[in-house]
Amino acid sequence: MLRRLSLPASLAYVSDTSNDSRTTVGSTISWHWAGQAPGPHTFDVVLAADPNVLDGSSTSFPFQLEYFDANDVKRPGVATSIRVYFVAPVIEVALAADVASVLPGARFNYTISVRNSGTTIARWVAVSDGMDGRLELLSYSAPVPVTPGPIFVWNLTNLNPGEQSVINVTVRLHEGVPARASLNNGVQIEYSNSLGISIGYRWSPAVTVT
């Protein structure tokens, strides 16, 4: 008896509970066994979705069974198709300043908004702000503490579907910055799926203050 499973590119074999002989050729996996007694013969197959599959997308794959009867005569095979639907977080990011222009030595605020518009949780979202060197961070309010450095990072956790997290930042423009100089600021988002595996990046549109 032969069972054959052909996997699409969006799914990968992980393991199975069968004790039968297994062979793999490309994306096709086959299980062979002889002398099947009457009654059910079941086993579990564990597959993993590609981390880059899109939320709401789906794929199908065929499963085939071939066998011979007790007289070693090949019987008509059985085939079926299995369809699976994928869920994933979809992260959106926005950046907005509360002023369009600022004087040297003055302070202003900007807001980073991160939203999960997908259908499953993002276990972590790393918000990275490569702040302009002419700005000084004075304070912030966020659900988590910031990791300081040349790039300021807020590591958000467990962003549920439909949930939004907001980071408010107060900065000061250094003295001596020439008039009409442009300050271009943007943030980068790296985020995971529900298993904590990194699956993508997002970048906010840059905000310019003069």
Side-chain angles (χ1 to χ4, degrees):
M1 187 175 290
L2 171 68
R3 290 182 178 182
R4 182 180 295 116
L5 181 65
S6 298
L7 295 178
S10 54
L11 291 172
Y13 170 84
V14 176
S15 63
D16 68 75
T17 59
S18 172
N19 294 320
D20 305 308
S21 174
R22 184 184 71 250
T23 59
T24 303
V25 179
S27 61
T28 299
I29 306 166
S30 301
W31 292 267
H32 310 258
W33 69 93
Q36 172 65 40
H41 183 86
T42 63
F43 62 97
D44 297 324
V45 180
V46 178
L47 305 176
D50 187 289
N52 297 311
V53 294
L54 299 177
D55 183 51
S57 62
S58 66
T59 191
S60 61
F61 51 95
F63 189 82
Q64 299 171 308
L65 174 66
E66 300 175 5
Y67 67 101
F68 293 79
D69 63 19
N71 297 317
D72 205 27
V73 176
K74 186 175 183 180
R75 308 298 295 175
V78 178
T80 188
S81 181
I82 302 170
R83 177 164 291 276
V84 294
Y85 294 85
F86 300 112
V87 293
V90 177
I91 302 300
E92 302 169 346
V93 57
L95 179 65
D98 66 351
V99 296
S101 60
V102 63
L103 295 173
R107 63 175 61 192
F108 66 96
N109 305 304
Y110 62 87
T111 300
I112 304 168
S113 301
V114 180
R115 179 180 177 83
N116 181 3
S117 61
T119 55
T120 190
I121 192 172
R123 287 298 173 194
W124 54 263
V125 179
V127 182
S128 300
D129 184 351
M131 191 177 297
D132 192 297
R134 294 165 292 181
L135 297 175
E136 175 190 1
L137 176 64
L138 298 178
S139 64
Y140 70 90
S141 63
V144 295
V146 68
T147 301
I151 298 177
F152 295 90
V153 180
W154 290 270
N155 290 300
L156 307 175
T157 58
N158 297 327
L159 195 64
N160 289 297
E163 184 179 358
Q164 177 172 279
S165 188
V166 176
I167 301 170
N168 294 299
V169 182
T170 300
V171 294
R172 185 179 70 87
L173 178 62
H174 289 172
E175 298 283 359
V177 176
R180 293 184 294 278
S182 293
L183 304 171
N184 296 307
N185 204 44
V187 296
Q188 174 188 282
I189 304 294
E190 182 183 6
Y191 63 99
S192 78
N193 59 15
S194 60
L195 300 177
I197 301 171
S198 176
I199 59 172
Y201 294 83
R202 292 289 184 270
W203 290 265
S204 72
V207 170
T208 301
V209 177
T210 56

